[in-house]
């Protein structure tokens, strides 16, 4: 009986250590890059992210083939609008958003796939632990890599029939949004 009790306790302990999706910071600023080799698409951007109100601002450099453009894009999923200001021409386009808000963190039902060390393991301040997850979000496949234990986004991937594969890398993340006015449409778009 004592052995059975110890065995049950050991199994419960091991199962309880299975990582669950953590909660990523809901507001942050940083940088991102996206790449799609098939479409010859590359994007670098400064990003302000607000999951609470479903708002994202990207000041971006977009390279498609040999053409490079610069945009200030404000995605207001809370009202279903996208403001896209071409920083070369100062022309603004206001369009309805047709894609869903995709959290930079991990949905609560994500599946744990493993843990890894980025950098030189064992050398102080030269590495970070990450956790890998995947799953389905609104019927589309995704994967995520976040720091452990703080759950700061490092990389995400998303696939839908409409967009194809979208892979994003995040870096230089700082928590919070320093200036909430970044979520106000540019003056060129308020005519």
């Amino acid at each position: 009986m004592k052995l059975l009790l110890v065995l049950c306790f050991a199994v419960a302990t091991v199962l309880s250590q299975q990582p669950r999706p953590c909660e990523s910071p809901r507001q942050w600023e940083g940088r991102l890059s996206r790449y799609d080799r098939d479409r010859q698409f590359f994007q670098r951007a400064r990003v302000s992210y607000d999951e609470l109100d479903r708002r994202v601002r990207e000041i971006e450099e977009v390279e498609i083939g040999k053409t490079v453009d610069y945009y200030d894009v404000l995605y207001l999923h809370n009202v279903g609008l996208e403001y896209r200001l071409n920083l070369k021409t100062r022309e603004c386009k206001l369009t309805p958003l047709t894609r869903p808000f995709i959290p930079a963190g991990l949905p609560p039902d994500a599946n744990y796939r493993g843990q890894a060390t980025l950098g030189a393991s064992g050398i102080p301040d030269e590495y970070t632990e990450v956790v890998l997850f995947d799953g389905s979000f609104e019927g589309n496949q995704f994967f995520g890599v976040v720091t452990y234990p703080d759950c700061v986004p490092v990389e995400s991937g998303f696939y839908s029939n409409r967009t194809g594969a979208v892979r994003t890398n995040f870096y230089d993340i700082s928590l919070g949004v320093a200036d909430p006015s970044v979520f106000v449409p540019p003056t060129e778009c308020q005519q």
Side-chain angles (χ1 to χ4, degrees):
M1 180 68 176
K2 202 177 212 183
L3 180 60
L4 181 59
L5 185 60
V6 169
L7 183 59
C8 287
F9 179 74
V11 169
T13 301
V14 168
L15 291 176
S16 70
Q17 292 179 4
Q18 172 80 0
R20 304 275 182 244
C22 51
E23 188 171 306
S24 293
R26 295 185 176 235
Q27 293 181 324
W28 51 266
E29 294 180 307
R31 297 183 183 278
L32 63 77
S33 63
R34 291 188 180 108
Y35 179 66
D36 182 332
R37 186 178 68 201
D38 295 337
R39 295 186 312 194
Q40 297 183 8
F41 171 86
F42 181 71
Q43 173 192 16
R44 279 185 285 265
R46 279 192 335 247
V47 60
S48 299
Y49 175 84
D50 177 10
E51 185 175 322
L52 299 171
D53 290 318
R54 301 181 331 141
R55 306 177 294 183
V56 179
R57 180 81 172 256
E58 296 178 0
I59 309 298
E60 56 187 35
E61 174 185 338
V62 177
E63 186 176 325
I64 301 174
K66 296 186 186 296
T67 303
V68 178
D69 277 305
Y70 302 89
Y71 297 98
D72 178 350
V73 185
L74 178 59
Y75 301 99
L76 296 177
H77 291 271
N78 55 349
V79 294
L81 294 174
E82 173 186 324
Y83 294 87
R84 179 174 294 272
L85 175 64
N86 183 312
L87 294 172
K88 286 181 180 177
T89 66
R90 307 308 290 176
E91 179 185 335
C92 182
K93 292 183 180 177
L94 174 62
T95 58
L97 279 168
T98 58
R99 64 177 175 84
F101 178 78
I102 301 168
L106 301 169
D109 59 346
N111 305 306
Y112 173 77
R113 292 297 177 212
Q115 189 166 345
T117 301
L118 294 180
S121 180
I123 300 175
D125 301 324
E126 292 294 327
Y127 69 96
T128 189
E129 298 292 324
V130 295
V131 179
L132 296 77
F133 289 91
D134 69 8
S136 180
F137 179 74
E138 296 188 2
N140 300 299
Q141 298 301 307
F142 75 89
F143 76 89
V145 179
V146 295
T147 61
Y148 179 80
D150 296 318
C151 205
V152 175
V154 173
E155 182 178 17
S156 69
F158 179 81
Y159 179 83
S160 75
N161 290 331
R162 191 178 72 74
T163 64
V166 177
R167 188 174 189 154
T168 305
N169 292 295
F170 303 98
Y171 52 98
D172 296 340
I173 302 291
S174 59
L175 300 184
V177 175
D179 180 7
S181 71
V182 297
F183 298 114
V184 173
T187 55
E188 293 89 342
C189 299
Q190 297 179 6
Q191 300 174 36

